Amino acid sequence: MLPKLPEFKSGTVWLVGAGPGDAGLLTRLAERALLSAEVVVYDALVNEEILQGCQDSAELIYAGKRGGKPSARQSDISITLIELARRGKRVLRLKGGDPFVFGRGGEEALALAKAGIEFRIVPGVTAGIGGLAYAGIPVTHRDTNNLVTFVTGHGSSGEVPDGVNWSGLAQFSPVIVLYMALKHLPQIADKLIAGGRSLAEPVALVANASTAGQQVVVTSLGQCRDQIMSDLISPPVIIVIGEVVNFRPDLDWFKTEVASLTNFKAKLSMV
Ligand code: SAH
Protein backbone atom coordinates (compact mmCIF):
# COMPACT_ATOMS: atom_id res chain seq x y z
CA MET A 1 0.00 0.00 0.00
CA LEU A 2 1.22 3.49 -0.79
CA PRO A 3 2.15 5.66 2.19
CA LYS A 4 -0.32 8.24 3.48
CA LEU A 5 0.60 11.75 2.39
CA PRO A 6 0.75 14.76 4.70
CA GLU A 7 -2.09 17.23 4.64
CA PHE A 8 -1.57 20.54 2.79
CA LYS A 9 -2.71 22.89 5.57
CA SER A 10 -4.27 26.31 5.06
CA GLY A 11 -1.88 29.18 5.64
CA THR A 12 1.19 27.13 4.67
CA VAL A 13 3.48 27.16 1.64
CA TRP A 14 4.78 24.13 -0.18
CA LEU A 15 7.94 24.77 -2.21
CA VAL A 16 7.72 22.09 -4.83
CA GLY A 17 10.03 20.87 -7.60
CA ALA A 18 8.15 20.09 -10.80
CA GLY A 19 11.04 18.24 -12.44
CA PRO A 20 12.48 19.11 -15.85
CA GLY A 21 9.27 18.84 -17.86
CA ASP A 22 7.77 15.38 -18.22
CA ALA A 23 4.68 15.38 -15.98
CA GLY A 24 5.39 11.74 -15.16
CA LEU A 25 8.38 12.88 -13.13
CA LEU A 26 6.25 14.68 -10.56
CA THR A 27 6.49 13.17 -7.09
CA ARG A 28 3.37 12.04 -5.27
CA LEU A 29 3.78 14.99 -2.91
CA ALA A 30 3.92 17.38 -5.88
CA GLU A 31 0.77 15.83 -7.27
CA ARG A 32 -0.97 16.15 -3.90
CA ALA A 33 0.10 19.81 -3.73
CA LEU A 34 -1.28 20.51 -7.22
CA LEU A 35 -4.59 18.89 -6.38
CA SER A 36 -5.12 20.85 -3.18
CA ALA A 37 -3.43 24.24 -3.72
CA GLU A 38 -5.61 27.34 -3.77
CA VAL A 39 -2.86 29.50 -5.25
CA VAL A 40 0.00 28.35 -7.48
CA VAL A 41 2.97 30.67 -7.93
CA TYR A 42 4.97 29.21 -10.80
CA ASP A 43 8.15 29.82 -12.78
CA ALA A 44 8.90 30.00 -16.49
CA LEU A 45 10.47 26.55 -16.48
CA VAL A 46 7.32 24.81 -15.30
CA ASN A 47 5.67 22.85 -18.08
CA GLU A 48 2.12 24.10 -18.87
CA GLU A 49 0.89 20.52 -18.91
CA ILE A 50 1.86 20.21 -15.25
CA LEU A 51 -0.15 23.32 -14.36
CA GLN A 52 -3.20 21.66 -15.84
CA GLY A 53 -3.02 19.26 -12.91
CA CYS A 54 -4.24 21.89 -10.45
CA GLN A 55 -7.84 22.64 -9.39
CA ASP A 56 -9.92 24.71 -11.83
CA SER A 57 -10.55 27.19 -9.05
CA ALA A 58 -6.85 27.66 -8.23
CA GLU A 59 -5.41 31.09 -8.78
CA LEU A 60 -2.30 30.92 -10.99
CA ILE A 61 0.39 33.55 -10.50
CA TYR A 62 3.28 33.70 -12.93
CA ALA A 63 6.57 34.65 -11.29
CA GLY A 64 9.14 34.04 -13.97
CA LYS A 65 10.86 35.60 -16.92
CA ARG A 66 9.38 35.09 -20.36
CA GLY A 67 9.39 36.89 -23.69
CA GLY A 68 12.20 39.20 -22.61
CA LYS A 69 10.11 40.74 -19.84
CA PRO A 70 12.06 41.38 -16.65
CA SER A 71 11.71 38.67 -14.05
CA ALA A 72 9.69 39.27 -10.91
CA ARG A 73 12.03 40.48 -8.19
CA GLN A 74 13.01 37.74 -5.79
CA SER A 75 11.96 39.79 -2.76
CA ASP A 76 8.56 40.46 -4.39
CA ILE A 77 8.00 36.74 -4.86
CA SER A 78 8.84 36.03 -1.23
CA ILE A 79 6.52 38.83 -0.09
CA THR A 80 3.71 37.46 -2.27
CA LEU A 81 4.13 33.99 -0.75
CA ILE A 82 4.08 35.39 2.79
CA GLU A 83 0.98 37.54 2.13
CA LEU A 84 -0.94 34.69 0.55
CA ALA A 85 -0.12 32.38 3.44
CA ARG A 86 -1.16 35.05 5.94
CA ARG A 87 -4.50 35.24 4.15
CA GLY A 88 -4.91 31.58 5.05
CA LYS A 89 -4.37 30.16 1.55
CA ARG A 90 -2.79 26.84 0.68
CA VAL A 91 0.10 28.22 -1.38
CA LEU A 92 2.03 26.12 -3.86
CA ARG A 93 5.33 27.57 -5.03
CA LEU A 94 6.12 25.49 -8.10
CA LYS A 95 9.60 25.53 -9.56
CA GLY A 96 11.31 23.74 -12.44
CA GLY A 97 13.56 20.83 -11.50
CA ASP A 98 14.44 20.80 -7.83
CA PRO A 99 13.67 23.91 -5.77
CA PHE A 100 17.04 23.84 -4.01
CA VAL A 101 19.20 23.38 -7.11
CA PHE A 102 19.97 26.80 -8.62
CA GLY A 103 16.32 27.57 -8.07
CA ARG A 104 16.41 30.19 -5.32
CA GLY A 105 14.28 27.89 -3.21
CA GLY A 106 16.65 28.48 -0.33
CA GLU A 107 16.05 32.22 -0.42
CA GLU A 108 12.27 31.79 -0.46
CA ALA A 109 12.33 29.21 2.33
CA LEU A 110 14.49 31.52 4.44
CA ALA A 111 12.04 34.38 3.93
CA LEU A 112 9.15 32.14 4.97
CA ALA A 113 11.05 30.90 8.03
CA LYS A 114 11.84 34.48 9.02
CA ALA A 115 8.18 35.45 8.65
CA GLY A 116 7.11 32.51 10.79
CA ILE A 117 5.19 30.82 7.95
CA GLU A 118 5.02 27.05 8.02
CA PHE A 119 6.42 25.45 4.87
CA ARG A 120 7.36 22.13 3.33
CA ILE A 121 10.05 21.44 0.73
CA VAL A 122 9.18 18.90 -1.94
CA PRO A 123 12.34 17.98 -3.87
CA GLY A 124 12.05 17.43 -7.60
CA VAL A 125 14.06 15.76 -10.34
CA THR A 126 16.79 18.18 -11.29
CA ALA A 127 17.69 18.84 -14.93
CA GLY A 128 21.33 17.95 -14.32
CA ILE A 129 20.39 14.38 -13.40
CA GLY A 130 16.96 13.55 -14.80
CA GLY A 131 17.31 15.77 -17.87
CA LEU A 132 20.53 14.05 -18.82
CA ALA A 133 18.93 10.64 -18.24
CA TYR A 134 16.38 11.53 -20.94
CA ALA A 135 19.33 12.08 -23.29
CA GLY A 136 20.73 8.65 -22.43
CA ILE A 137 23.55 10.09 -20.32
CA PRO A 138 24.17 8.67 -16.83
CA VAL A 139 25.53 11.43 -14.62
CA THR A 140 27.87 8.96 -12.95
CA HIS A 141 29.14 5.63 -14.20
CA ARG A 142 31.54 3.32 -12.43
CA ASP A 143 34.02 3.16 -15.30
CA THR A 144 34.19 6.87 -15.96
CA ASN A 145 33.60 8.99 -12.86
CA ASN A 146 33.15 8.66 -9.14
CA LEU A 147 32.56 12.37 -8.90
CA VAL A 148 30.35 14.97 -10.58
CA THR A 149 30.08 18.71 -10.11
CA PHE A 150 27.05 20.92 -10.70
CA VAL A 151 27.99 24.44 -11.66
CA THR A 152 26.07 27.53 -12.69
CA GLY A 153 27.39 29.28 -15.77
CA HIS A 154 25.64 32.50 -14.87
CA GLY A 155 26.86 34.68 -12.03
CA SER A 156 24.44 36.85 -10.06
CA SER A 157 25.49 39.87 -12.11
CA GLY A 158 25.13 38.00 -15.41
CA GLU A 159 28.77 37.17 -16.17
CA VAL A 160 30.71 33.90 -16.05
CA PRO A 161 30.78 33.33 -12.28
CA ASP A 162 34.21 34.37 -11.05
CA GLY A 163 33.71 32.63 -7.72
CA VAL A 164 34.25 29.33 -9.54
CA ASN A 165 37.80 27.99 -9.63
CA TRP A 166 37.60 26.82 -13.24
CA SER A 167 41.12 25.41 -13.47
CA GLY A 168 40.64 23.55 -10.18
CA LEU A 169 37.36 22.22 -11.51
CA ALA A 170 39.07 21.16 -14.76
CA GLN A 171 41.55 19.16 -12.72
CA PHE A 172 39.38 17.48 -10.12
CA SER A 173 35.97 16.89 -11.66
CA PRO A 174 35.81 14.29 -14.46
CA VAL A 175 32.18 15.19 -15.17
CA ILE A 176 30.93 18.76 -15.06
CA VAL A 177 27.24 19.62 -15.37
CA LEU A 178 26.51 23.23 -16.27
CA TYR A 179 23.22 24.98 -15.59
CA MET A 180 22.38 28.33 -17.24
CA ALA A 181 25.60 28.19 -19.22
CA LEU A 182 24.64 28.42 -22.89
CA LYS A 183 25.53 32.08 -23.25
CA HIS A 184 28.92 31.83 -21.59
CA LEU A 185 29.88 28.39 -22.93
CA PRO A 186 32.75 29.65 -25.13
CA GLN A 187 34.42 31.39 -22.17
CA ILE A 188 33.79 28.42 -19.87
CA ALA A 189 35.21 25.95 -22.43
CA ASP A 190 38.22 28.22 -22.80
CA LYS A 191 38.82 28.26 -19.04
CA LEU A 192 38.48 24.48 -18.74
CA ILE A 193 40.88 23.91 -21.66
CA ALA A 194 43.33 26.35 -20.08
CA GLY A 195 42.95 24.27 -16.88
CA GLY A 196 44.07 21.14 -18.75
CA ARG A 197 40.94 19.60 -20.27
CA SER A 198 41.27 18.09 -23.73
CA LEU A 199 39.88 19.83 -26.82
CA ALA A 200 38.38 16.50 -27.84
CA GLU A 201 36.49 15.94 -24.60
CA PRO A 202 32.85 15.11 -25.35
CA VAL A 203 30.14 17.60 -24.48
CA ALA A 204 26.36 17.21 -24.74
CA LEU A 205 23.85 20.05 -24.76
CA VAL A 206 20.30 19.00 -23.96
CA ALA A 207 17.52 21.52 -24.56
CA ASN A 208 14.01 21.13 -23.17
CA ALA A 209 15.03 17.84 -21.62
CA SER A 210 12.29 15.27 -21.02
CA THR A 211 9.72 17.11 -23.16
CA ALA A 212 8.49 16.42 -26.69
CA GLY A 213 10.70 19.31 -27.78
CA GLN A 214 13.91 17.81 -26.41
CA GLN A 215 16.93 18.52 -28.58
CA VAL A 216 20.44 17.18 -28.12
CA VAL A 217 23.73 18.34 -29.60
CA VAL A 218 26.83 16.24 -29.01
CA THR A 219 30.06 18.07 -29.65
CA SER A 220 33.56 18.60 -28.21
CA LEU A 221 34.97 21.07 -25.72
CA GLY A 222 37.14 22.63 -28.44
CA GLN A 223 34.08 23.14 -30.63
CA CYS A 224 32.20 24.75 -27.75
CA ARG A 225 35.02 27.26 -27.41
CA ASP A 226 34.88 28.18 -31.07
CA GLN A 227 31.21 28.00 -31.92
CA ILE A 228 28.30 29.94 -30.50
CA MET A 229 26.07 27.03 -29.56
CA SER A 230 23.10 29.32 -28.98
CA ASP A 231 22.86 29.54 -32.80
CA LEU A 232 21.96 25.84 -32.79
CA ILE A 233 19.89 25.36 -29.69
CA SER A 234 17.68 27.50 -27.41
CA PRO A 235 17.32 27.51 -23.62
CA PRO A 236 16.62 25.92 -21.27
CA VAL A 237 19.77 23.90 -21.94
CA ILE A 238 21.64 21.62 -19.58
CA ILE A 239 25.25 20.94 -20.55
CA VAL A 240 27.42 17.99 -19.55
CA ILE A 241 31.14 17.72 -20.12
CA GLY A 242 32.89 14.37 -19.73
CA GLU A 243 33.24 10.77 -20.84
CA VAL A 244 29.69 9.89 -19.71
CA VAL A 245 28.48 11.56 -22.93
CA ASN A 246 29.90 8.56 -24.83
CA PHE A 247 27.19 6.30 -23.39
CA ARG A 248 24.50 8.19 -25.27
CA PRO A 249 24.61 6.20 -28.55
CA ASP A 250 23.84 3.01 -26.62
CA LEU A 251 21.49 4.49 -24.02
CA ASP A 252 19.41 6.95 -26.06
CA TRP A 253 16.08 5.37 -25.06
CA PHE A 254 13.97 8.54 -25.44
CA LYS A 255 14.81 9.11 -29.11
CA THR A 256 11.62 7.72 -30.58
CA GLU A 257 9.59 10.16 -28.56
CA VAL A 258 11.53 13.24 -29.61
CA ALA A 259 9.29 14.91 -32.15
CA SER A 260 11.43 17.72 -33.42
CA LEU A 261 14.82 16.06 -33.53
CA THR A 262 14.66 15.26 -37.24
CA ASN A 263 14.12 18.89 -38.14
CA PHE A 264 16.80 19.87 -35.76
CA LYS A 265 19.31 17.52 -37.40
CA ALA A 266 18.49 19.12 -40.73
CA LYS A 267 19.21 22.49 -39.18
CA LEU A 268 22.49 21.23 -37.73
CA SER A 269 23.72 19.83 -41.00
CA MET A 270 23.23 23.22 -42.62
CA VAL A 271 25.72 24.81 -40.26
N1 SAH B 1 15.92 24.15 -10.28
C1 SAH B 1 16.23 23.76 -11.64
C2 SAH B 1 17.33 24.60 -12.23
C3 SAH B 1 16.96 26.05 -12.39
S1 SAH B 1 18.23 26.99 -13.15
C4 SAH B 1 16.59 22.27 -11.65
O1 SAH B 1 16.82 21.69 -10.59
O2 SAH B 1 16.66 21.69 -12.73
C5 SAH B 1 17.69 26.96 -14.83
C6 SAH B 1 18.58 26.05 -15.64
O3 SAH B 1 18.22 24.70 -15.42
C7 SAH B 1 18.44 26.23 -17.13
O4 SAH B 1 19.21 27.31 -17.60
C8 SAH B 1 18.98 24.91 -17.62
O5 SAH B 1 20.38 24.89 -17.53
C9 SAH B 1 18.44 23.95 -16.58
N2 SAH B 1 17.16 23.33 -16.99
C10 SAH B 1 16.02 23.33 -16.28
N3 SAH B 1 15.06 22.62 -16.92
C11 SAH B 1 15.62 22.16 -18.06
C12 SAH B 1 15.15 21.37 -19.14
N4 SAH B 1 13.92 20.87 -19.18
N5 SAH B 1 16.02 21.09 -20.13
C13 SAH B 1 17.29 21.54 -20.10
N6 SAH B 1 17.78 22.30 -19.11
C14 SAH B 1 16.97 22.60 -18.10
Side-chain angles (χ1 to χ4, degrees):
M1 207 178 88
L2 289 168
K4 198 168 174 287
L5 296 173
E7 182 198 346
F8 192 165
K9 286 188 267 171
S10 296
T12 67
V13 179
W14 281 23
L15 271 160
V16 175
D22 184 346
L25 294 177
L26 286 174
T27 60
R28 290 191 62 227
L29 283 166
E31 205 175 47
R32 145 70 53 112
L34 276 163
L35 287 172
S36 38
E38 290 165 301
V39 188
V40 183
V41 183
Y42 67 100
D43 278 349
L45 284 177
V46 174
N47 195 345
E48 298 276 332
E49 192 193 328
I50 288 174
L51 287 173
Q52 285 165 17
C54 57
Q55 299 183 79
D56 288 345
S57 59
E59 184 189 348
L60 298 182
I61 301 178
Y62 176 65
K65 189 154 100 177
R66 200 176 275 168
K69 291 197 195 108
S71 53
R73 285 221 329 269
Q74 195 57 42
S75 55
D76 293 345
I77 298 173
S78 297
I79 290 167
T80 304
L81 298 176
I82 292 165
E83 281 175 354
L84 289 165
R86 286 201 172 133
R87 277 199 259 142
K89 302 283 184 193
R90 279 191 291 272
V91 187
L92 166 56
R93 175 67 174 119
L94 195 59
K95 290 173 164 285
D98 182 283
F100 277 180
V101 180
F102 303 127
R104 302 208 165 188
E107 278 144 272
E108 291 170 20
L110 282 169
L112 294 168
K114 215 169 143 195
I117 306 286
E118 199 183 311
F119 62 90
R120 166 177 284 270
I121 308 296
V122 179
V125 174
T126 190
I129 300 178
L132 297 182
Y134 273 66
I137 301 171
V139 78
T140 71
H141 190 271
R142 198 165 53 153
D143 300 336
T144 55
N145 63 314
N146 49 17
L147 169 71
V148 57
T149 310
F150 298 102
V151 189
T152 171
H154 194 89
S156 45
S157 47
E159 299 85 48
V160 179
D162 48 13
V164 175
N165 175 353
W166 294 99
S167 65
L169 190 62
Q171 283 156 37
F172 81 75
S173 189
V175 172
I176 301 167
V177 178
L178 297 166
Y179 288 73
M180 296 176 274
L182 188 61
K183 188 168 155 210
H184 297 314
L185 189 57
Q187 293 100 299
I188 293 171
D190 207 29
K191 286 176 190 287
L192 292 172
I193 291 163
R197 296 298 269 252
S198 151
L199 291 165
E201 180 147 2
V203 178
L205 294 90
V206 185
N208 292 301
S210 85
T211 72
Q214 175 171 303
Q215 298 175 328
V216 183
V217 173
V218 175
T219 179
S220 66
L221 201 54
Q223 189 69 28
C224 291
R225 186 185 57 178
D226 299 331
Q227 181 170 13
I228 306 295
M229 290 294 165
S230 49
D231 290 347
L232 300 179
I233 203 164
S234 305
V237 174
I238 191 84
I239 301 169
V240 55
I241 301 167
E243 298 301 319
V244 284
V245 172
N246 293 334
F247 290 107
R248 176 172 151 78
D250 289 329
L251 303 184
D252 181 20
W253 60 275
F254 189 56
K255 59 179 176 265
T256 49
E257 294 181 50
V258 179
S260 58
L261 195 64
T262 329
N263 294 340
F264 184 64
K265 275 189 182 145
K267 190 174 160 193
L268 255 187
S269 60
M270 280 159 41
V271 180

